Every structure is written in C-alpha cells, then in structure tokens.
Amino acid sequence: MRYPPAPSLRPPQPVWNIWKEHSVGLNIACTTYDCNNAAGLADFYARLLGHPVDPEATEFFATVGREVREGARTDTG
C-alpha cells in the first residue's frame, strides 16, 4: 500500500522575524519597588535615567522625573 506524499511544510520562521512583523510600541510610565530606602533607590534610578529625584522624596516614598513626565507628550497621534 502506498501513502500519498506528505505535504511540504514551510520551515518555522525565526522568532525575531515574527516580532518585527507584528511589533507595537509600549511606553512604561511608572514602576513600583518595595525597598528599605526609597530615596537611595530613587537616587540610583535618577542617575541611570538622567532625571532628577523629585523634591518630596523621603526614606519611605520617592519618585524620579515626575515633572519631566508630566510635561511629556503621551499621545501618538
């Protein structure tokens, strides 16, 4: 008994080609970290990102570059 030939299969595409064809933009506005010293961690991220630590930073709560972000354009159109 002869079986019909198997259909030819296209080899799978590399993952990076799929990402390139179907990519979308993403902006992250805020992340939250639980830490022992919020002002110290904020200082680290301020230096990393090149934005200032916001003036109301304490040991328990701190933000980086909020004033810069508030003036930024958030829409894409």
Side-chain angles (χ1 to χ4, degrees), residues 26-62:
L26 174 68
N27 292 323
I28 298 175
C30 181
T31 58
T32 304
Y33 299 95
D34 186 11
C35 61
N36 291 330
N37 185 346
L41 186 62
D43 184 56
F44 167 78
Y45 276 102
R47 292 171 190 239
L48 180 72
L49 299 171
H51 293 297
V53 175
D54 295 322
E56 66 276 355
T58 68
E59 177 184 355
F60 304 105
F61 178 80

Side-chain angles (χ1 to χ4, degrees), residues 3 8 10 13 22 31 36-37 49 52 55 58 67 69 73:
Y3 294 100
S8 63
R10 190 173 131 199
Q13 291 183 357
H22 304 288
T31 58
N36 291 330
N37 185 346
L49 299 171
T58 68
E67 293 157 359
R69 192 171 55 247
R73 183 176 170 196

